[in-house]
Structures are given as C-alpha cells and as structure tokens.
C-alpha cells in the first residue's frame, strides 16, 4: 500500500492530521479503514488490508506465449522471428488486466546494401525473417564474400555483404621455366597456366598456377 496524494511527499505531519492509504496495482482491499490519524506524535494503527489479486487468463497472443510468474502480472515472449509491439508486462488491477495485450509482429528487414559492380535478387521493399537474397557481379567481376544473405532476428541482413572485384593477375615469374599451356594475358579469375623446367632443372612445387583471390581481397597466383 501507499499514501494517497501529496501526503506521500511530506516528511512531518501536525497533530490531528489524517492520511489515507490505497492498495498498490495488483492488490485489492480486503477490508479495514484506509485512514490513520496522528495523535500526540503517534499514528493510529493501519487497519487497511491489501492482498494480491489474481486475474484469469489474459488471452492468447498469436506468434508468442504468455507466462504468469506471480499471478498479478504476465510476461509475453514472442516466437523466433517475431518482435513485441506494446508493453511486455501488464498488471492485474481491480477491474482485471490493466491495459491491452501487445502483439508479436514478424521481423522484417530493409533492403540489403548495394554493392558496386553487383546486384542482388529478389528486390523488394521489405523482407521477412529468414528470407534470403543472392548477390551476383557484373561480367568481368568476381564475388568476394558470401553470396547469400538472410534477414536476421534483429532486422538486419547477415553476414556482411560481399564485394565485386576485378581479378587480374600479373605474369608469373618463374626462373628457369617455360610456358607449356594455359591462358594468355591478361589473366582473369581462374585463369591457369602450366610451366615446365628447362633442360638441366628439376621442378619443385606444382606445375600449374591459377589466378585466385586471397583472404584480403587481393589478386595473386596460387598453385594447384
């Protein structure tokens, strides 16, 4: 219980002052006077009695569920892919549940980032939870990163968007070797060349090299 009105802010009360109590939200009066009196420096006994009020079920929340931890309040939790709109806690008052039920709305994402020299599909104004977009690059550019992004629980696309880079490797520098077969410059993504040693030399390592993209997004030659 609490004091009514401005009395709750006072520190001292003159002799003969009367103050009133009221039951807190979630509690109801079961009898007894709500008024006490200051008499010669002593308050009269508090007769008001307040006990917890238990309400019936608050109803059903679509795409979520309700827990009743105390009987005087409930907590709504939304299912995966949904977020709460409204108050998650509502108290059981004198007239029943105090307030209206919140709702669980499906999580949506704004369109994912635009990538230079690339595009994604499908293109929509909003995307639902777990909906996937696929990135692709223009001719002559190679995708570096994840091709697929999905709408996550926090309303953003994950993982980070890829990049579209133009892969072009320089001429391999291999001493005492000669080109046998494969691509000719300019060397683009996945271009391969094969070398063999000149007379009098033995090869160490692979004979075929492939133009790839390393983990830093730079171009280089890699042995197969």
């Amino acid at each position: 219980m609490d004091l009514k009105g401005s009395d709750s802010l006072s520190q001292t009360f003159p002799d003969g002052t009367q103050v009133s109590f009221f039951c807190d939200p979630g509690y109801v009066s079961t009898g007894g006077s709500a008024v006490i009196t200051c008499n010669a420096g002593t308050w009269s006994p508090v007769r008001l009695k307040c006990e917890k009020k238990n309400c019936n079920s608050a109803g059903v929340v679509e795409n979520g569920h309700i827990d009743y931890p105390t009987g005087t309040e409930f907590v709504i939790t939304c299912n995966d892919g949904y977020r709460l709109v409204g108050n998650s806690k509502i108290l059981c008052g004198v007239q029943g549940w105090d307030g209206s039920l919140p709702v669980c709305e499906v999580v949506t994402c704004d369109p994912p980032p635009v990538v230079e020299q690339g595009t994604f599909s499908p293109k929509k104004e909003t995307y639902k939870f777990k909906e996937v977009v696929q990135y692709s690059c223009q001719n002559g550019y190679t995708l570096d990163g994840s091709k697929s992004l999905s709408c996550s629980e926090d309303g953003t696309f994950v993982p980070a968007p890829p990049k579209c880079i133009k892969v072009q490797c320089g001429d391999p520098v291999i001493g005492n070797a000669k080109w046998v077969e494969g691509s000719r410059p300019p060397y683009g993504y996945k271009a391969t060349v094969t070398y063999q040693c000149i007379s009098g030399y033995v090869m160490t390592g692979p004979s075929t090299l492939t133009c790839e993209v390393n983990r830093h997004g730079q171009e280089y030659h890699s042995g197969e």
Side-chain angles (χ1 to χ4, degrees), residues 32-73:
S33 174
V35 179
I36 61 173
T37 304
C38 177
N39 185 14
T42 302
W43 289 106
S44 60
V46 178
R47 303 296 185 186
L48 178 66
K49 295 185 181 298
C50 298
E51 68 177 22
K52 286 184 177 181
K53 176 177 175 61
N54 291 321
C55 293
N56 295 325
S57 171
V60 177
V61 175
E62 189 174 357
N63 301 311
H65 63 276
I66 304 177
D67 294 319
Y68 299 88
T70 66
T72 60
E73 67 177 32

Side-chain angles (χ1 to χ4, degrees), residues 134-148:
Q134 302 278 350
Y135 278 86
S136 59
C137 295
Q138 297 176 6
N139 289 337
Y141 288 82
T142 301
L143 199 71
D144 182 22
S146 178
K147 179 180 181 181
S148 300

Side-chain angles (χ1 to χ4, degrees), residues 174-180 194-199 201 203 207:
I174 305 173
N176 304 307
K178 62 181 180 179
W179 180 89
V180 176
T194 301
Y195 284 80
Q196 70 179 28
C197 296
I198 63 175
S199 179
Y201 288 84
M203 182 170 292
S207 61

Side-chain angles (χ1 to χ4, degrees), residues 70-134:
T70 66
T72 60
E73 67 177 32
F74 64 75
V75 180
I76 291 180
T77 304
C78 293
N79 298 338
D80 289 344
Y82 292 83
R83 54 187 163 199
L84 193 72
V85 178
N87 293 324
S88 61
K89 292 184 179 181
I90 296 180
L91 294 175
C92 175
V94 175
Q95 303 299 324
W97 291 109
D98 184 17
S100 58
L101 277 173
V103 296
C104 292
E105 290 187 349
V106 64
V107 171
T108 59
C109 292
D110 290 332
V114 175
V115 172
E116 290 187 17
Q117 311 301 333
T119 186
F120 61 83
S121 64
K123 291 188 176 180
K124 302 166 63 175
E125 290 187 1
T126 58
Y127 299 80
K128 292 183 179 181
F129 175 61
K130 287 190 176 180
E131 197 164 1
V132 175
V133 296
Q134 302 278 350

